[in-house]
Amino acid sequence: MGYALFTARKLSLTTRVNQMNAQLMSLSQRQMDLANQIATKESANALRTNSANAQAYSVFAAAVQGGGDTTQAQAALNKTLSDNSSKTAMDDAEIQQLEAKQTQIDLQRKNLETQLNAAQQELESVEKAEQSAIKSSTPGYVG
């Protein structure tokens, strides 16, 4: 009868440990997805900014070399730089939101890892108690 209780408890704890491991895997996958989204946004932001700035500087340099009125070219350059700055700020805000989600998931993972360690230790203690009960109940023969 006692062994059945140990077995039932071990099955319960094993199921709990497996569920926590599955949750950890899910959280890890979500973190990876967020990290990929952040990297993609940062790359797209850098590419957009660099190409727009390069084009604006090219137009400005052509106007300066042409010897004409550089006022319009300067205004266009300033507008492009301003637009890029505001777009970058918006992208940075989105990236910060993703990073906040990533931090939240990290806290969930740490909490889950703590619970998992407790469940694994409890499982080990149940297994040791079961082994001890088996040893003590085994009849000894004196020969």
Side-chain angles (χ1 to χ4, degrees):
M1 178 75 175
Y3 302 126
L5 292 176
F6 282 123
T7 302
R9 184 66 183 148
K10 279 181 16 182
L11 286 174
S12 170
L13 287 170
T14 302
T15 301
R16 195 165 134 211
V17 165
N18 289 339
Q19 287 174 345
M20 287 183 199
N21 279 326
Q23 288 175 351
L24 275 175
M25 293 291 286
S26 174
L27 289 175
S28 294
Q29 184 61 45
R30 285 177 42 202
Q31 257 187 328
M32 289 280 279
D33 291 344
L34 286 172
N36 288 338
Q37 287 177 10
I38 289 170
T40 302
K41 283 195 179 292
E42 287 174 342
S43 296
N45 184 24
L47 180 63
R48 178 188 42 78
T49 301
N50 290 338
S51 63
N53 286 347
Q55 183 179 3
Y57 282 121
S58 167
V59 169
F60 180 72
V64 169
Q65 288 177 355
D69 185 23
T70 60
T71 307
Q72 285 183 335
Q74 181 68 42
L77 175 65
N78 289 340
K79 182 177 181 337
T80 300
L81 294 176
S82 175
D83 289 347
N84 282 338
S85 178
S86 64
K87 288 177 184 177
T88 299
M90 289 173 45
D91 287 344
D92 287 346
E94 290 177 18
I95 290 171
Q96 285 178 347
Q97 288 176 347
L98 292 174
E99 287 173 344
K101 288 179 184 179
Q102 206 173 23
T103 302
Q104 181 183 10
I105 291 173
D106 193 41
L107 291 174
Q108 289 175 346
R109 280 187 63 220
K110 287 180 181 178
N111 184 23
L112 193 58
E113 286 171 351
T114 302
Q115 292 175 9
L116 179 62
N117 286 338
Q120 287 173 335
Q121 288 176 358
E122 187 177 353
L123 180 61
E124 289 173 12
S125 69
V126 167
E127 288 173 347
K128 287 179 185 176
E130 180 184 39
Q131 289 173 358
S132 174
I134 289 172
K135 278 185 182 178
S136 66
S137 67
T138 303
Y141 295 103
V142 178

